PDB file of all heavy atoms in Angstrom:
ATOM      1  N   LEU X 221     -22.616  23.204   9.766  1.00 85.00           N
ATOM      2  CA  LEU X 221     -23.994  23.297  10.238  1.00 85.00           C
ATOM      3  C   LEU X 221     -24.001  23.685  11.717  1.00 85.00           C
ATOM      4  O   LEU X 221     -22.972  24.058  12.272  1.00 85.00           O
ATOM      5  CB  LEU X 221     -24.711  21.966   9.982  1.00 85.00           C
ATOM      6  CG  LEU X 221     -24.807  21.581   8.493  1.00 85.00           C
ATOM      7  CD1 LEU X 221     -25.407  20.192   8.334  1.00 85.00           C
ATOM      8  CD2 LEU X 221     -25.628  22.603   7.714  1.00 85.00           C
ATOM      9  N   ASN X 222     -25.154  23.603  12.347  1.00 78.00           N
ATOM     10  CA  ASN X 222     -25.263  24.050  13.731  1.00 78.00           C
ATOM     11  C   ASN X 222     -24.300  23.305  14.644  1.00 78.00           C
ATOM     12  O   ASN X 222     -24.053  22.116  14.469  1.00 78.00           O
ATOM     13  CB  ASN X 222     -26.697  23.865  14.245  1.00 78.00           C
ATOM     14  CG  ASN X 222     -27.680  24.779  13.517  1.00 78.00           C
ATOM     15  OD1 ASN X 222     -27.272  25.692  12.795  1.00 78.00           O
ATOM     16  ND2 ASN X 222     -28.954  24.528  13.695  1.00 78.00           N
ATOM     17  N   ILE X 223     -23.788  24.020  15.644  1.00 76.00           N
ATOM     18  CA  ILE X 223     -22.863  23.413  16.587  1.00 76.00           C
ATOM     19  C   ILE X 223     -23.592  22.357  17.408  1.00 76.00           C
ATOM     20  O   ILE X 223     -24.697  22.575  17.897  1.00 76.00           O
ATOM     21  CB  ILE X 223     -22.247  24.480  17.516  1.00 76.00           C
ATOM     22  CG1 ILE X 223     -21.398  25.453  16.694  1.00 76.00           C
ATOM     23  CG2 ILE X 223     -21.409  23.833  18.598  1.00 76.00           C
ATOM     24  CD1 ILE X 223     -20.810  26.578  17.503  1.00 76.00           C
ATOM     25  N   ALA X 224     -22.980  21.190  17.520  1.00 80.00           N
ATOM     26  CA  ALA X 224     -23.544  20.069  18.271  1.00 80.00           C
ATOM     27  C   ALA X 224     -22.378  19.269  18.826  1.00 80.00           C
ATOM     28  O   ALA X 224     -21.220  19.481  18.436  1.00 80.00           O
ATOM     29  CB  ALA X 224     -24.427  19.202  17.362  1.00 80.00           C
ATOM     30  N   PRO X 225     -22.627  18.357  19.769  1.00 86.00           N
ATOM     31  CA  PRO X 225     -21.532  17.522  20.265  1.00 86.00           C
ATOM     32  C   PRO X 225     -20.839  16.796  19.125  1.00 86.00           C
ATOM     33  O   PRO X 225     -21.472  16.260  18.227  1.00 86.00           O
ATOM     34  CB  PRO X 225     -22.246  16.534  21.205  1.00 86.00           C
ATOM     35  CG  PRO X 225     -23.474  17.251  21.637  1.00 86.00           C
ATOM     36  CD  PRO X 225     -23.891  18.080  20.465  1.00 86.00           C
ATOM     37  N   GLY X 226     -19.519  16.798  19.143  1.00 87.00           N
ATOM     38  CA  GLY X 226     -18.750  16.170  18.081  1.00 87.00           C
ATOM     39  C   GLY X 226     -17.375  16.812  17.994  1.00 87.00           C
ATOM     40  O   GLY X 226     -17.122  17.877  18.576  1.00 87.00           O
ATOM     41  N   LEU X 227     -16.479  16.186  17.255  1.00 89.00           N
ATOM     42  CA  LEU X 227     -15.125  16.718  17.119  1.00 89.00           C
ATOM     43  C   LEU X 227     -15.128  18.059  16.397  1.00 89.00           C
ATOM     44  O   LEU X 227     -14.300  18.924  16.686  1.00 89.00           O
ATOM     45  CB  LEU X 227     -14.251  15.716  16.358  1.00 89.00           C
ATOM     46  CG  LEU X 227     -13.895  14.427  17.108  1.00 89.00           C
ATOM     47  CD1 LEU X 227     -13.013  13.545  16.240  1.00 89.00           C
ATOM     48  CD2 LEU X 227     -13.191  14.731  18.416  1.00 89.00           C
ATOM     49  N   GLY X 228     -16.053  18.221  15.443  1.00 89.00           N
ATOM     50  CA  GLY X 228     -16.127  19.505  14.744  1.00 89.00           C
ATOM     51  C   GLY X 228     -16.461  20.643  15.690  1.00 89.00           C
ATOM     52  O   GLY X 228     -15.908  21.750  15.576  1.00 89.00           O
ATOM     53  N   GLY X 229     -17.371  20.405  16.644  1.00 87.00           N
ATOM     54  CA  GLY X 229     -17.704  21.420  17.628  1.00 87.00           C
ATOM     55  C   GLY X 229     -16.518  21.773  18.509  1.00 87.00           C
ATOM     56  O   GLY X 229     -16.298  22.948  18.824  1.00 87.00           O
ATOM     57  N   ARG X 230     -15.732  20.762  18.900  1.00 89.00           N
ATOM     58  CA  ARG X 230     -14.552  21.046  19.706  1.00 89.00           C
ATOM     59  C   ARG X 230     -13.488  21.782  18.900  1.00 89.00           C
ATOM     60  O   ARG X 230     -12.733  22.594  19.446  1.00 89.00           O
ATOM     61  CB  ARG X 230     -13.969  19.746  20.272  1.00 89.00           C
ATOM     62  CG  ARG X 230     -14.882  18.979  21.214  1.00 89.00           C
ATOM     63  CD  ARG X 230     -15.412  19.854  22.357  1.00 89.00           C
ATOM     64  NE  ARG X 230     -14.375  20.507  23.112  1.00 89.00           N
ATOM     65  CZ  ARG X 230     -13.735  19.954  24.156  1.00 89.00           C
ATOM     66  NH1 ARG X 230     -14.034  18.719  24.525  1.00 89.00           N
ATOM     67  NH2 ARG X 230     -12.809  20.627  24.808  1.00 89.00           N
ATOM     68  N   MET X 231     -13.421  21.520  17.587  1.00 90.00           N
ATOM     69  CA  MET X 231     -12.486  22.272  16.752  1.00 90.00           C
ATOM     70  C   MET X 231     -12.898  23.735  16.661  1.00 90.00           C
ATOM     71  O   MET X 231     -12.047  24.637  16.690  1.00 90.00           O
ATOM     72  CB  MET X 231     -12.416  21.638  15.355  1.00 90.00           C
ATOM     73  CG  MET X 231     -11.765  20.278  15.335  1.00 90.00           C
ATOM     74  SD  MET X 231     -11.773  19.504  13.699  1.00 90.00           S
ATOM     75  CE  MET X 231     -10.603  20.547  12.832  1.00 90.00           C
ATOM     76  N   ASN X 232     -14.209  23.975  16.541  1.00 88.00           N
ATOM     77  CA  ASN X 232     -14.690  25.357  16.567  1.00 88.00           C
ATOM     78  C   ASN X 232     -14.328  26.037  17.884  1.00 88.00           C
ATOM     79  O   ASN X 232     -13.935  27.208  17.914  1.00 88.00           O
ATOM     80  CB  ASN X 232     -16.206  25.380  16.373  1.00 88.00           C
ATOM     81  CG  ASN X 232     -16.611  25.371  14.907  1.00 88.00           C
ATOM     82  OD1 ASN X 232     -15.939  25.971  14.070  1.00 88.00           O
ATOM     83  ND2 ASN X 232     -17.693  24.680  14.587  1.00 88.00           N
ATOM     84  N   GLU X 233     -14.472  25.300  18.974  1.00 86.00           N
ATOM     85  CA  GLU X 233     -14.105  25.842  20.283  1.00 86.00           C
ATOM     86  C   GLU X 233     -12.628  26.188  20.335  1.00 86.00           C
ATOM     87  O   GLU X 233     -12.242  27.262  20.826  1.00 86.00           O
ATOM     88  CB  GLU X 233     -14.445  24.813  21.371  1.00 86.00           C
ATOM     89  CG  GLU X 233     -14.029  25.229  22.759  1.00 86.00           C
ATOM     90  CD  GLU X 233     -14.235  24.120  23.781  1.00 86.00           C
ATOM     91  OE1 GLU X 233     -15.071  23.227  23.532  1.00 86.00           O
ATOM     92  OE2 GLU X 233     -13.547  24.139  24.827  1.00 86.00           O
ATOM     93  N   GLY X 234     -11.779  25.279  19.845  1.00 86.00           N
ATOM     94  CA  GLY X 234     -10.348  25.552  19.850  1.00 86.00           C
ATOM     95  C   GLY X 234      -9.980  26.754  19.000  1.00 86.00           C
ATOM     96  O   GLY X 234      -9.087  27.528  19.355  1.00 86.00           O
ATOM     97  N   GLN X 235     -10.692  26.936  17.875  1.00 85.00           N
ATOM     98  CA  GLN X 235     -10.416  28.091  17.016  1.00 85.00           C
ATOM     99  C   GLN X 235     -10.818  29.401  17.677  1.00 85.00           C
ATOM    100  O   GLN X 235     -10.041  30.358  17.721  1.00 85.00           O
ATOM    101  CB  GLN X 235     -11.158  27.929  15.690  1.00 85.00           C
ATOM    102  CG  GLN X 235     -11.004  29.119  14.756  1.00 85.00           C
ATOM    103  CD  GLN X 235     -11.965  29.067  13.585  1.00 85.00           C
ATOM    104  OE1 GLN X 235     -12.815  28.161  13.515  1.00 85.00           O
ATOM    105  NE2 GLN X 235     -11.857  30.008  12.677  1.00 85.00           N
ATOM    106  N   HIS X 236     -12.042  29.446  18.221  1.00 85.00           N
ATOM    107  CA  HIS X 236     -12.552  30.705  18.763  1.00 85.00           C
ATOM    108  C   HIS X 236     -11.893  31.088  20.077  1.00 85.00           C
ATOM    109  O   HIS X 236     -11.752  32.271  20.390  1.00 85.00           O
ATOM    110  CB  HIS X 236     -14.071  30.613  18.936  1.00 85.00           C
ATOM    111  CG  HIS X 236     -14.815  30.566  17.640  1.00 85.00           C
ATOM    112  ND1 HIS X 236     -15.505  29.452  17.224  1.00 85.00           N
ATOM    113  CD2 HIS X 236     -14.955  31.480  16.644  1.00 85.00           C
ATOM    114  CE1 HIS X 236     -16.053  29.677  16.042  1.00 85.00           C
ATOM    115  NE2 HIS X 236     -15.729  30.901  15.658  1.00 85.00           N
ATOM    116  N   LEU X 237     -11.490  30.101  20.874  1.00 85.00           N
ATOM    117  CA  LEU X 237     -10.833  30.393  22.150  1.00 85.00           C
ATOM    118  C   LEU X 237      -9.315  30.394  22.032  1.00 85.00           C
ATOM    119  O   LEU X 237      -8.617  30.580  23.029  1.00 85.00           O
ATOM    120  CB  LEU X 237     -11.269  29.372  23.208  1.00 85.00           C
ATOM    121  CG  LEU X 237     -12.764  29.340  23.533  1.00 85.00           C
ATOM    122  CD1 LEU X 237     -13.060  28.282  24.585  1.00 85.00           C
ATOM    123  CD2 LEU X 237     -13.239  30.712  24.005  1.00 85.00           C
ATOM    124  N   PHE X 238      -8.823  30.159  20.835  1.00 87.00           N
ATOM    125  CA  PHE X 238      -7.379  30.131  20.549  1.00 87.00           C
ATOM    126  C   PHE X 238      -6.673  29.077  21.395  1.00 87.00           C
ATOM    127  O   PHE X 238      -5.579  29.298  21.909  1.00 87.00           O
ATOM    128  CB  PHE X 238      -6.741  31.508  20.779  1.00 87.00           C
ATOM    129  CG  PHE X 238      -5.521  31.732  19.919  1.00 87.00           C
ATOM    130  CD1 PHE X 238      -5.645  32.004  18.570  1.00 87.00           C
ATOM    131  CD2 PHE X 238      -4.258  31.649  20.455  1.00 87.00           C
ATOM    132  CE1 PHE X 238      -4.524  32.196  17.786  1.00 87.00           C
ATOM    133  CE2 PHE X 238      -3.131  31.838  19.674  1.00 87.00           C
ATOM    134  CZ  PHE X 238      -3.266  32.114  18.335  1.00 87.00           C
ATOM    135  N   HIS X 239      -7.321  27.921  21.538  1.00 87.00           N
ATOM    136  CA  HIS X 239      -6.697  26.782  22.199  1.00 87.00           C
ATOM    137  C   HIS X 239      -6.082  25.896  21.114  1.00 87.00           C
ATOM    138  O   HIS X 239      -6.708  24.953  20.635  1.00 87.00           O
ATOM    139  CB  HIS X 239      -7.727  26.008  23.015  1.00 87.00           C
ATOM    140  CG  HIS X 239      -8.225  26.759  24.199  1.00 87.00           C
ATOM    141  ND1 HIS X 239      -9.313  26.356  24.952  1.00 87.00           N
ATOM    142  CD2 HIS X 239      -7.772  27.909  24.796  1.00 87.00           C
ATOM    143  CE1 HIS X 239      -9.519  27.205  25.934  1.00 87.00           C
ATOM    144  NE2 HIS X 239      -8.605  28.157  25.854  1.00 87.00           N
ATOM    145  N   MET X 240      -4.865  26.240  20.723  1.00 88.00           N
ATOM    146  CA  MET X 240      -4.244  25.547  19.607  1.00 88.00           C
ATOM    147  C   MET X 240      -3.973  24.086  19.927  1.00 88.00           C
ATOM    148  O   MET X 240      -4.030  23.228  19.036  1.00 88.00           O
ATOM    149  CB  MET X 240      -2.938  26.251  19.220  1.00 88.00           C
ATOM    150  CG  MET X 240      -2.341  25.770  17.912  1.00 88.00           C
ATOM    151  SD  MET X 240      -3.440  26.016  16.490  1.00 88.00           S
ATOM    152  CE  MET X 240      -3.475  27.821  16.440  1.00 88.00           C
TER     153      MET X 240
END
Side-chain angles (χ1 to χ4, degrees):
L221 298 175
N222 294 348
I223 296 177
L227 290 181
R230 297 307 305 274
M231 292 177 70
N232 274 324
E233 176 187 337
Q235 177 192 4
H236 291 113
L237 299 180
F238 208 75
H239 292 169
M240 191 60 66

